[in-house]
Amino acid sequence: MFKKTCELLAQKKISVFFIESTSAGYLSYQFSLSPFSGDILIGSLVCYDLKVKEKVLKISPNLIKKYSAESIQVTEEMIKKEKKIFKSDIYISCTGLLKNGGSESKQKPVGTFFYCIDYKNKTYIFKKIYHGYPTKKLKKLLKDICCNIVKIINKKDIQNK
């Protein structure tokens, strides 16, 4: 699915920019390995630490305090802030709980990921729960994001969560 996604983006001349928290650059790194990277990848910003979200992206500390850094609300806000700083056709933001030590709870266990994909000024919101080692979770995240990019570009029905 990854190769198909990169090829589709290149064929349609669609650029992508990532803003990553829990994935810490994994998504943009994978896209950089594609033979199409020079045509599709604009870049990325890793905002693993709260200070980057607050100081660089100007995300309100109150929003983070209210919902947590690993929340759909913060992930969606990251897209809004990203669009003001960087120029791309698709924007992707991601937060979540790759391992212990975040805001995990019964409702939001370790392995919970939130990501948003913005294309043509429409933001699609996703929540997924993955199990396994961190690298396995990140591979599943990449696969799901790629599947949804293809669906969004091809205007297929997407289940926003």
Side-chain angles (χ1 to χ4, degrees):
M1 180 51 69
F2 172 73
K3 290 178 183 177
K4 178 183 174 182
T5 303
C6 292
E7 189 172 353
L8 176 67
L9 291 170
Q11 285 173 352
K12 295 193 176 270
K13 298 183 183 333
I14 296 172
S15 60
V16 62
F17 190 93
F18 293 92
I19 188 155
E20 303 181 61
S21 183
T22 191
S23 52
Y26 176 85
L27 300 170
S28 56
Y29 169 72
Q30 293 301 317
F31 272 71
S32 77
L33 298 176
S34 163
F36 303 104
S37 63
D39 299 319
I40 62 174
L41 183 61
I42 297 297
S44 69
L45 175 66
V46 175
C47 56
Y48 199 80
D49 189 83
L50 282 179
K51 297 279 186 262
V52 179
K53 290 178 183 76
E54 293 172 358
K55 303 283 186 206
V56 175
L57 293 174
K58 308 288 189 219
I59 293 177
S60 164
N62 292 332
L63 183 74
I64 294 169
K65 185 177 180 181
K66 183 175 181 179
Y67 295 106
S68 88
E70 305 90 6
S71 66
I72 199 60
Q73 293 85 357
V74 169
T75 310
E76 195 171 10
E77 187 68 10
M78 287 165 53
I79 284 273
K80 291 175 187 172
K81 301 296 185 174
E82 175 181 18
K83 289 175 74 174
K84 291 180 180 179
I85 302 170
F86 305 103
K87 174 77 173 104
S88 186
D89 298 312
I90 290 182
Y91 300 90
I92 298 169
S93 63
C94 176
T95 66
L97 301 159
L98 183 62
K99 54 191 182 254
N100 294 335
S103 62
E104 66 262 15
S105 66
K106 271 189 167 181
Q107 298 76 28
K108 187 172 56 172
V110 170
T112 303
F113 289 81
F114 303 99
Y115 66 93
C116 296
I117 301 172
D118 186 278
Y119 181 60
K120 294 188 175 182
N121 290 316
K122 181 169 183 186
T123 302
Y124 301 84
I125 300 167
F126 303 91
K127 176 186 177 183
K128 299 284 185 170
I129 299 175
Y130 304 119
H131 303 284
Y133 292 105
T135 52
K136 185 177 181 182
K137 292 174 193 170
L138 289 171
K139 286 178 183 178
K140 289 179 182 178
L141 174 67
L142 176 65
K143 181 182 177 204
D144 283 348
I145 286 173
C146 286
C147 287
N148 285 312
I149 287 171
V150 170
K151 288 178 184 176
I152 290 166
I153 290 171
N154 290 330
K155 298 178 183 165
K156 293 191 178 172
D157 282 337
I158 289 271
Q159 276 207 331
N160 266 342
K161 298 205 178 193

